[in-house]
Amino acid sequence: MVLYLIGLGLYDEQDISLRGLAAVRGCARVYLEAYTSILLVDKDRLEALYGKPVVVADREMVENEADAILAGADAVDVAFLVVGDPFGATTHTDLQLRARAAGVPVTVIHNASVMNAVGACGLQLYRFGEAVSICFFTDTWRPDSFYDKLSANRAAGLHTLCLLDIKVKEPNLEQLARGRTVYEPPRYMSINTALEQLLEVEAARGGGVCGPGALAVGLARLGAPDQRIVAGPIAELRRVDFGPPLHCLIIAGDVHVVEEEILQHYRAGSGEEAAGAAAGGGGAAAASEGAAGGAAPAGRPAAAAGGAMAERGPRARSFSQRVSCKPRARPHPGGGPAQLLRRELRMVRISVLNDALKTMYNAEKRGKRQVLIRPASKVVVKFLQLMMKHGYIGEFEFVDDHRAGKIVVELNGRLNKCGVISPRYDISHHDVEAWVARLLPSRQFGIIVLTTSSGIMDHDEARRKGVGGKVLGFFY
């Protein structure tokens, strides 16, 4: 018959797939692996859903008594349930090899695991390097081999997922030496413990990989309704109470501007990290959970990428925005036919291109390597293409957010100034020389951008083609 390796997902009995549930209900024996990870509900709830008993398979059974699990699998179907995905641990690969060697067919039914669910924090999965495991330190054993992988990932600009130790049904070594088998109570490493150990290793190794100022992300109970995600320097995360297990940790590498924008919602002390589950797809987090350090100061801006792409809140203003007043009738709070005329302030965006160029100019002045521009437009894209053509910026990428869109621009340090000309003056190709003298430092330095009947182009191309148009802006 068949050995089924079935992933259960991350939270409770409902996370199993429909295909996995059908397979379990058709099996003669069901085992639940319970030492590489744990489900956040009792076994009784699994048995109630499956309609059959579930045998808990601890480390000793899986590693030393695998033959008992496979016994009779050539005659009946057997299910081996794994929290997360079946191949999240090498032990399960070993079980598959044993089954195939015994001539038992193996069917794998996958599910979500911590390896992909960590994307809930906003860090992009393809920017992760090799994952590491962090074990509990003891008085005589303080392993730090994971530091080399952390260092290699950091040198490559990659994020590192740290899987934290779980001690389930571990024998007491002192009692074992006396010939008695006594098991220790279960222990689950917290993010706080992992950070303390990381700082200890960093102090000993001194590589500057995971010091107090390094950016990290703590994730607790991924997939659960009360999951929690908090981002910030290691020194701040040490003071955060992440609550019950299971926990995992990410040491961030080079953060893309889009990743930084999402991480702002989970910053320690921002007041928003308690709602981490909503962004991660696990439901709303408990509103009563606060981050260490208290609430953020009133009026504190939610800036991203060092301020180069700050969120525009309802009170934000720029040179390209004006306040207009629009009268709107509102019912009198007391009811009845009487109406009050109320004037309401509304922000109006005058020039998308002007906002884009100012954002780039400010980011360049601050020495940023990337900048996020939004919203996007065809005019902005064409303007950026001309800037890239002449070498004033690096490549740029359009990000479709199913709204107005946004653009990530690579800066190369060559942009000294850029701006929009408003109003857009009509000029002929004979007037180009005069505008070059007016806007640019010299004839050989900088570009004026025109919109013409032949499209958007730079002033040199307009002069060659003998066409005029409207002045959009300039850069040098």
Side-chain angles (χ1 to χ4, degrees):
M1 299 297 282
V2 177
L3 170 66
Y4 287 97
L5 300 179
I6 303 174
L8 296 182
L10 295 170
Y11 174 50
D12 65 8
E13 76 281 3
Q14 299 294 330
D15 286 353
I16 191 173
S17 66
L18 293 176
R19 183 167 168 237
L21 180 59
V24 170
R25 288 177 172 170
C27 289
R29 301 198 312 274
V30 179
Y31 296 90
L32 172 64
E33 187 265 277
Y35 73 92
T36 60
S37 186
I38 60 167
L39 213 57
L40 301 181
V41 296
D42 294 332
K43 182 187 72 161
D44 297 342
R45 289 175 57 173
L46 299 180
E47 293 176 333
L49 177 64
Y50 305 156
K52 56 184 56 188
V54 174
V55 178
V56 175
D58 57 17
R59 179 189 294 271
E60 185 177 347
M61 172 179 280
V62 176
E63 294 184 353
N64 301 327
E65 302 175 15
D67 293 340
I69 297 175
L70 298 175
D74 55 344
V76 296
D77 290 338
V78 176
F80 187 77
L81 311 181
V82 180
V83 177
D85 187 80
F87 294 134
T90 55
T91 300
H92 311 135
T93 302
D94 178 70
L95 183 64
Q96 177 186 211
L97 292 174
R98 288 171 180 253
R100 295 190 186 281
V104 177
V106 178
T107 297
V108 181
I109 302 177
H110 296 280
N111 209 319
S113 76
V114 66
M115 305 298 286
N116 53 33
V118 292
C121 71
L123 296 178
Q124 298 163 1
L125 294 178
Y126 68 89
R127 294 171 61 84
F128 277 75
E130 187 174 358
V132 302
S133 297
I134 301 179
C135 302
F136 279 112
F137 283 179
T138 68
D139 293 337
T140 57
W141 189 58
R142 309 179 89 76
D144 62 358
S145 57
F146 60 82
Y147 189 87
D148 297 324
K149 296 179 181 179
L150 268 173
S151 181
N153 287 345
R154 189 67 190 88
L158 302 175
H159 313 309
T160 304
L161 171 61
C162 303
L163 303 174
L164 308 188
D165 201 3
I166 295 176
K167 299 290 188 184
V168 180
K169 204 174 180 181
E170 293 287 326
N172 182 293
L173 298 181
E174 183 179 342
Q175 297 295 329
L176 197 62
R178 297 177 180 176
R180 292 182 294 179
T181 302
V182 178
Y183 294 105
E184 299 278 8
R187 297 173 62 203
Y188 308 100
M189 182 179 287
S190 68
I191 293 167
N192 313 82
T193 299
L195 291 175
E196 295 290 345
Q197 295 187 179
L198 281 173
L199 291 175
E200 178 182 323
V201 173
E202 176 63 41
R205 301 285 289 267
V209 175
C210 50
L215 177 62
V217 184
L219 305 99
R221 300 173 301 285
L222 274 173
D226 64 339
Q227 81 172 15
R228 189 163 190 202
I229 303 173
V230 186
I234 287 178
E236 293 184 19
L237 292 193
R238 291 169 62 190
R239 301 190 296 269
V240 176
D241 180 9
F242 286 90
L246 296 170
H247 294 182
C248 62
L249 176 69
I250 300 171
I251 305 300
D254 294 340
V255 178
H256 191 273
V257 289
V258 176
E259 296 175 309
E260 175 65 27
E261 183 181 9
I262 300 176
L263 284 181
Q264 290 301 320
H265 297 287
Y266 301 120
R267 286 284 183 176
S270 69
E272 294 189 37
E273 85 282 350
S288 61
E289 285 190 321
R300 178 180 178 181
M309 53 175 186
E311 294 280 355
R312 294 192 183 276
R315 298 184 182 178
R317 304 186 69 172
S318 74
F319 292 109
S320 64
Q321 293 176 316
R322 300 292 185 270
V323 176
S324 67
C325 295
K326 178 182 178 182
R328 181 174 296 180
R330 295 288 178 90
H332 190 279
Q339 301 287 324
L340 293 179
L341 187 63
R342 180 177 179 179
R343 300 178 69 83
E344 179 179 282
L345 294 178
R346 186 179 63 178
M347 303 305 298
V348 178
R349 189 181 296 275
I350 300 300
S351 173
V352 172
L353 178 61
N354 190 49
D355 285 352
L357 296 184
K358 283 188 176 295
T359 300
M360 290 174 56
Y361 175 65
N362 291 334
E364 190 72 79
K365 284 199 303 182
R366 293 183 175 91
K368 302 297 180 184
R369 296 172 56 188
Q370 290 181 326
V371 63
L372 180 67
I373 295 173
R374 62 180 180 186
S377 72
K378 293 181 179 178
V379 174
V380 171
V381 170
K382 187 61 179 178
F383 204 101
L384 293 176
Q385 287 174 342
L386 288 174
M387 297 180 78
M388 184 173 68
K389 171 185 173 183
H390 292 280
Y392 285 88
I393 62 173
E395 296 182 348
F396 63 91
E397 174 188 2
F398 176 77
V399 179
D400 185 7
D401 59 359
H402 303 291
R403 290 179 288 180
K406 47 193 176 186
I407 302 172
V408 179
V409 182
E410 301 285 342
L411 301 177
N412 57 14
R414 288 198 57 199
L415 185 63
N416 293 287
K417 193 171 183 180
C418 59
V420 165
I421 300 301
S422 182
R424 295 178 179 176
Y425 292 98
D426 286 306
I427 65 171
S428 70
H429 66 280
H430 301 292
D431 301 323
V432 168
E433 192 67 27
W435 279 89
V436 168
R438 181 182 304 178
L439 296 177
L440 304 180
S442 71
R443 294 180 180 178
Q444 291 80 30
F445 191 59
I447 298 294
I448 296 175
V449 181
L450 306 175
T451 175
T452 73
S453 58
S454 301
I456 295 176
M457 62 185 69
D458 59 55
H459 69 274
D460 286 330
E461 184 180 358
R463 192 160 41 192
R464 287 196 307 270
K465 292 183 176 180
V467 297
K470 295 180 180 291
V471 181
L472 280 180
F474 65 96
F475 55 87
Y476 58 83

